[in-house]
Amino acid sequence: MRTEEHRDVDFAVASVAALLDLLLIGVFLMLGGDGIWTADWMGYPGPVDSTGASYQGDVVHFAGWTSATTALLGLVLRCWVTAATQVVLLGGGALFLASLPTYWNP
C-alpha cells in the first residue's frame, strides 16, 4: 500500500513529466518545421532539407525509447501515474510524429 506522500510525489512527477513530454514533442515539431514536415496545417514547409531524410525515424525512435525507459523507471519506483503518463503522452507523440507527411514519406 502506498502512502499519501508517495501518491503526492507520483502526481507531482507525472505533472512535470507531462510538461516535459509536451515540450519535447513541440521541439521535434519546431525543428522539423523547416524542410522536413509537409503537413498542410503547418504552413509553407520551406525548401527540402537534404540532410533530413532520417529525421522522422530518428525522433520517433528516440521518443519511443524515452517512453519505454521512463515508464519502466516509473514502474520500478512504483509511480503508476507517472508510468501511465509517459506511455500515453510520449507513445502518442511518437505515433503522431510518425503519421506526419514529409518530403521522403508523403
Side-chain angles (χ1 to χ4, degrees):
M1 181 90 164
R2 297 190 318 166
T3 64
E4 186 68 31
E5 292 82 20
H6 192 246
R7 218 170 305 140
D8 292 343
V9 168
D10 187 10
F11 282 112
V13 171
S15 299
V16 171
L19 290 174
L20 291 175
D21 294 347
L22 294 174
L23 181 67
L24 181 68
I25 298 300
V27 167
F28 287 155
L29 278 174
M30 183 185 69
L31 291 176
D34 190 24
I36 306 290
W37 313 120
T38 59
D40 292 338
W41 56 267
M42 294 186 78
Y44 176 66
V48 177
D49 181 0
S50 61
T51 63
S54 67
Y55 181 77
Q56 184 178 30
D58 292 343
V59 298
V60 169
H61 185 95
F62 179 79
W65 274 106
T66 304
S67 173
T69 303
T70 55
L72 182 62
L73 183 63
L75 291 176
V76 167
L77 297 176
R78 296 180 52 206
C79 294
W80 317 128
V81 176
T82 300
T85 301
Q86 292 303 101
V87 169
V88 169
L89 284 180
L90 274 179
L95 288 174
F96 172 70
L97 292 172
S99 72
L100 289 175
T102 66
Y103 283 108
W104 301 272
N105 182 21

